[in-house]
Structures are given as structure tokens and as C-alpha cells.
Amino acid sequence: VSVGILNARVLTPAGPLARASILTAGTGIASIMEGDAGEDMILRSRPLALVRADGRVLMPAFVDAHTHACWAGDRLDEWDARRRGTSYLDILKAGGGIMSTVRAVRAASVEELTALLLGRLNLMLREGTTTVEVKSGYGLDTATELKMLRAIAAAAADFPGTVVPTALLGHAIDPDFPGGADAFIDYTIRDTLPAVHAAFPGIAIDAYCERGAWNVGQCVRLFSAAKKLGHPFRVHADQFTSLGMAAAGLELGATSIDHLEAGTPADLAAIARSPSTFGVMLPICGLHMDGRYADGRAFLDASPSPAARLAVATNFNPGSAPSGSMPLAIATAVRHNGLTPHEAIAAATTAPARLLGFTDRGAIAPGMRADLIILRHADERMLVYELGLSPIGTVICAGRVIFDGPALQAGPS
Ligand SMILES: [Zn+2]
């Protein structure tokens, strides 16, 4: 299988090529050739499919490194309550929020969860995302966590792109657990973690560190136990309150520290300068909930190299971020996290690919996986400038054309 893409503005790690053509072979990128000569060579090689970019932007497909896209039920009543002034943390304390989704997920079958997730993954693919991390976390018990992880694996098997599962074992404290919070933490570490380890060895473990959820000491206990079993770990930290989890996560060797809306300048700089931990910002939360955003500008200004370890992700979930659109996430990151358009594109492609452990995607070069998108536009700044209309013209996943829409352009491009 081969696809020829003619005359695109190609975003490469070394900078944009004004006019180049690309040939894929199998699931990968075979060659990139500039100018008229490149176009001629690709036409002579008679690829099975031909896509004419006509000067539009060809770039790596998006890697969404933080989602909760596996869920059942909805939280529309909670949204009504929030618009009447009830706070997110008050809803959580009253047994709503995450707990309402936990009840719906416990009631759903693995087949229902798989079908719901697969529907969302295919919508995300149409918006240019070919690699998606998906967390469990709406179980709060061993059986339901395993059910969610099996649903994520089943959806992954039917998805043309790539799904990376994460076991979010520390999402909330189950208020109905006999013996209270301490007993629930013990149960998660002594029962759920070993069961997840047996069925999904090496999977990343995650926790939500916040007032009313898991505290720093409880997270450290979970991550230390996970590390002993050979699991990497990530942590939700500093969404509403800076509790010291960022520093503790760095010290323990977290793969990423995610959210950071309340992150202190010192913590942001420490993550940016660490040799291996990524920061992840989730601006759709601020857009949907409360107008609070992590300081991406401070993070990047403290980063020592241009290949910054900052990812922007959707956080797709039924409560705080009802969108799986990476174009919306990075358009918001440019407006509210202080990123430039090119920084936002890197934070949606190269950085999250490295965060998830991939060296074969997130950039356009020969030998890389042919996960590619062509924008409707000839200037990549339109990707973050235009709002609410899909900027994606063509999606190619593992060398297969998934979607090829009309080359409609709009606005000042
Ligand atoms: Zn999250």
C-alpha cells in the first residue's frame, strides 16, 4: 500500500518545507521530495492512492496523551447545577461529579463501554488524532477497573489508530467503602493494584491528587507500590490546589505531571528542567469550567531545550472537558496557556509521542509512521486561529487514507 501526497507545505522537525511531496510505503513514510522534481518522482512511482494538497499544510497527526474517553452516562444535570453556581468540589462532596459516572460505569457491560469508547475514538480520528491515551478510573473497585481496562483493550483492537491504556487507580475516594478513606486506600493498593499488575503488566498507573480526592501521602504510597511492581506512573496535580504533589512526583520519577492550573512558578520551572518528567496542560477544563489555565509560557520559558517536555491534551471526559478535539485544545492553549502556534503544534505531536514512549511518530521524516493530517489551510497558524470548524481536510493513519474531504479554505489564509 502506498499513498502519494503532492505539493504540500510540510511541517518537519527542521522547519517547514514550502512545497514538498511525500510517498508512503506500508504503514510508514518512505520519502519526502521537494519542488517539481519531487512531484514528478512520486507520480512516476504510481502510488495506489494520490492526495493533492495544493499547497495546504501537511503535518503529523495529533497524539492526545490524556483522556478519560471510556465512560457511560452523562453529567448534564451536574452542568445545570454548576451554571447555577454550585462548585465542582461541592458537587464532588455531595456524591455527584466523578461518583455519578462511577455508578453508570459499574452498571454498564464491557461491550457497552467498548462501543461507547470506539464511537468517541472514531470522532477523534476524524479530527486528526491517531494516537490516544485512555484512562480507566471510573471503577473504584477491582472488578470495574479490570472491566474498563478490558473495554479499552477491545476498543483498541478495532481502532485504526493506536490506543495507550492507563490504569487510573487513584481517581476518587469511594464514599460508600466500609471503613472510610484509609481502608479504601489500603484496598486499592493491596487488591486492585496487584490484580491490574497481573492482567496488564507494565501499564502506567495514575492518580488524582486534590482536596477531597487522594492526598499527597496516599498518592506516594500508591506510586511507590506501583514502581516496585515495575509500573511507570503519572499524576493529576495542582488542578485547584497546590498540595506539593508536583515536587513529590518529580522526586519519585513520574512520567508526567498533569493539570498544573494552580502550579507555583517554582514547581512549573522544576518540571520544565527535570530530565525526564513531562508537564501536561489541559486547557479545555478552563474553557468549560472556570477560566483557570496553567502557565504554559512560564513552563516553556524555564525549559532548557527547544524540544520542551510540554504536552497539551484534551482531557476528554464527561464532567470537566466534554471535547476530544485536539484543534480546540491547542487553539485554547494559544489563547490562554500563552503558547505560540508552533509551540502548541509541538505540544500536540512530538512531545506527547515521547511522553507515551513512541519514537516512530509525532514528526514527519522518512521511516516514521505515516500518521498524517492535511489541514484545509495553507498556513498552519489557521489551525489555532479558526474556531469551531474542523480545520482537518485529510487524515492518514498508518499509511491508510481514513478521510479526505474537500479542500475548502476559509478566512485570511
Ligand atoms: Zn484527567
Side-chain angles (χ1 to χ4, degrees):
V1 178
S2 60
V3 179
I5 303 161
L6 299 180
N7 292 329
R9 173 176 165 84
V10 179
L11 305 191
T12 76
L17 305 174
R19 182 160 172 256
S21 299
I22 282 191
L23 186 66
T24 72
T27 59
I29 297 171
S31 52
I32 306 168
M33 289 162 285
E34 289 192 73
D36 287 338
E39 182 178 359
D40 290 347
M41 277 180 67
I42 283 179
L43 286 172
R44 275 203 304 276
S45 73
R46 297 172 157 269
L48 286 179
L50 209 52
V51 178
R52 294 179 190 279
D54 295 322
R56 291 174 296 142
V57 173
L58 175 72
M59 56 176 281
F62 301 118
V63 177
D64 192 343
H66 183 135
T67 86
H68 306 255
C70 183
W71 82 81
D74 70 67
R75 304 249 286 266
L76 295 168
D77 293 342
E78 167 190 331
W79 192 46
D80 286 341
R82 279 224 317 271
R83 284 185 293 115
R84 288 193 301 268
T86 314
S87 83
Y88 181 82
L89 289 179
D90 284 342
I91 289 167
L92 195 62
K93 272 182 219 144
I98 288 168
M99 289 312 298
S100 74
T101 302
V102 168
R103 288 188 289 276
V105 167
R106 284 176 178 170
S109 69
V110 69
E111 291 79 14
E112 286 166 339
L113 288 175
T114 303
L116 287 166
L117 171 57
L118 196 55
R120 292 177 196 124
L121 291 172
N122 283 318
L123 287 171
M124 296 168 80
L125 182 64
R126 170 64 186 79
E127 295 301 306
T129 303
T130 54
T131 301
V132 188
E133 184 258 17
V134 182
K135 300 176 198 295
S136 64
Y138 295 120
L140 308 188
D141 64 48
T142 304
T144 313
E145 281 299 299
L146 290 173
K147 178 174 75 177
M148 286 193 78
L149 292 169
R150 283 197 294 269
I152 293 167
D158 282 347
F159 181 55
T162 307
V163 172
V164 178
T166 297
L168 174 53
L169 300 188
H171 202 179
I173 307 283
D174 186 345
D176 302 324
F177 194 84
D182 288 340
F184 175 73
I185 304 291
D186 285 347
Y187 159 77
T188 302
I189 294 172
R190 290 183 192 154
D191 195 279
T192 311
L193 176 63
V196 166
H197 171 70
F200 300 91
I203 192 173
I205 304 296
D206 202 338
Y208 179 65
C209 184
E210 185 55 68
R211 277 193 192 127
W214 284 53
N215 68 31
V216 175
Q218 292 162 343
C219 289
V220 167
R221 273 187 64 200
L222 173 67
F223 297 146
S224 302
K227 264 177 77 173
K228 276 197 197 115
L229 293 171
H231 295 268
F233 68 95
R234 307 174 56 174
V235 64
H236 294 62
D238 297 359
Q239 181 182 7
F240 298 102
T241 354
S242 175
L243 297 172
M245 189 64 234
L250 280 176
E251 195 178 313
L252 271 177
T255 302
S256 70
I257 300 176
D258 304 39
H259 266 300
L260 301 170
E261 288 90 331
T264 64
D267 282 341
L268 291 174
I271 300 167
R273 293 190 192 116
S274 83
S276 56
T277 301
F278 285 78
V280 180
M281 297 184 178
L282 309 165
I284 293 174
C285 262
L287 185 67
H288 178 62
M289 299 232 300
D290 55 10
R292 295 163 54 257
Y293 298 91
D295 193 344
R297 186 73 264 140
F299 188 103
L300 289 176
D301 288 346
S303 295
S305 84
R309 282 189 315 282
L310 176 64
V312 169
T314 63
N315 194 28
F316 197 11
N317 76 73
S320 65
S323 172
S325 166
M326 285 296 284
L328 178 63
I330 61 178
T332 310
V334 168
R335 284 164 179 79
H336 296 295
N337 297 105
L339 275 56
T340 68
H342 284 101
E343 288 167 344
I345 288 170
T349 54
T350 46
R354 285 182 294 132
L355 188 169
L356 295 178
F358 294 110
T359 55
D360 67 344
R361 66 195 69 186
I364 293 183
M368 298 292 269
R369 198 173 138 99
D371 283 356
L372 303 166
I373 51 182
I374 303 174
L375 304 183
R376 291 181 10 257
H377 305 290
D379 185 325
E380 59 272 21
R381 290 175 297 177
M382 280 298 288
L383 169 61
V384 295
Y385 183 73
E386 187 178 59
L387 285 176
L389 296 170
S390 175
I392 309 300
T394 305
V395 178
I396 296 168
C397 181
R400 257 181 62 207
V401 179
I402 300 287
F403 172 79
D404 189 19
L408 301 173
Q409 299 204 6
S413 78

